[in-house]
Amino acid sequence: MVLAFASKSLRKTCEAEEHARRQLGSKVAERLKHRLADLEAAGSVQDLIAGRPRKCKASGRYVMHLVDGICLEFSANHVKNPVDGNGEVDWGRVSRIQILQIGKCNNG
């Protein structure tokens, strides 16, 4: 998949390992590196297994568990997101995502 980032600071955290270690700690930064590689290698969200990816019912976004209650949240990021028959994002056809945040997991 193609990754984009909600902010320049988030991009820096995701792309500069030392910056991520300072911001998030070694354990979270290491796991983040692996999850980002998983995302880039996947053809779609439905190909993901690691990090227990799940769709949040309230927002329609996806979250992946990193470690110690910290999650990576992302959304579809096509100019026109693919939709299913119900008008919801068809995650099986999503190949572009935007990383929205890294933070405490919620149960949404």
Side-chain angles (χ1 to χ4, degrees), residues 1-4 43 75-79 81 91 93-98:
M1 286 189 287
V2 177
L3 307 183
S75 65
N77 193 40
H78 292 262
V79 172
N81 287 327
W91 286 98
R93 297 186 321 166
V94 169
S95 60
R96 302 178 70 84
I97 62 169
Q98 183 178 49

Side-chain angles (χ1 to χ4, degrees), residues 77-89:
N77 193 40
H78 292 262
V79 172
K80 184 172 168 66
N81 287 327
V83 294
D84 61 18
N86 297 322
E88 295 187 21
V89 173

Side-chain angles (χ1 to χ4, degrees), residues 27-47:
K27 203 165 150 182
V28 176
E30 184 66 23
R31 191 64 57 89
L32 173 64
K33 179 174 68 172
H34 293 290
R35 292 298 163 263
L36 290 170
D38 293 341
L39 287 166
E40 289 177 326
S44 79
V45 174
Q46 293 179 336
D47 294 338

Side-chain angles (χ1 to χ4, degrees), residues 4-15 98-101:
F5 303 89
S7 68
K8 287 181 182 180
S9 63
L10 185 57
R11 174 184 289 276
K12 184 174 182 180
T13 299
C14 291
E15 292 182 344
Q98 183 178 49
I99 308 297
L100 300 170
Q101 66 179 353

Side-chain angles (χ1 to χ4, degrees), residues 5 10 14 32 35-36 39 54 62-66 70-74 97 99-103 105:
F5 303 89
L10 185 57
C14 291
L32 173 64
R35 292 298 163 263
L36 290 170
L39 287 166
R54 64 179 171 81
Y62 256 82
V63 295
M64 291 179 80
H65 183 261
L66 295 175
I70 304 297
C71 287
L72 173 74
E73 183 178 352
F74 59 91
I97 62 169
I99 308 297
L100 300 170
Q101 66 179 353
I102 300 165
C105 297

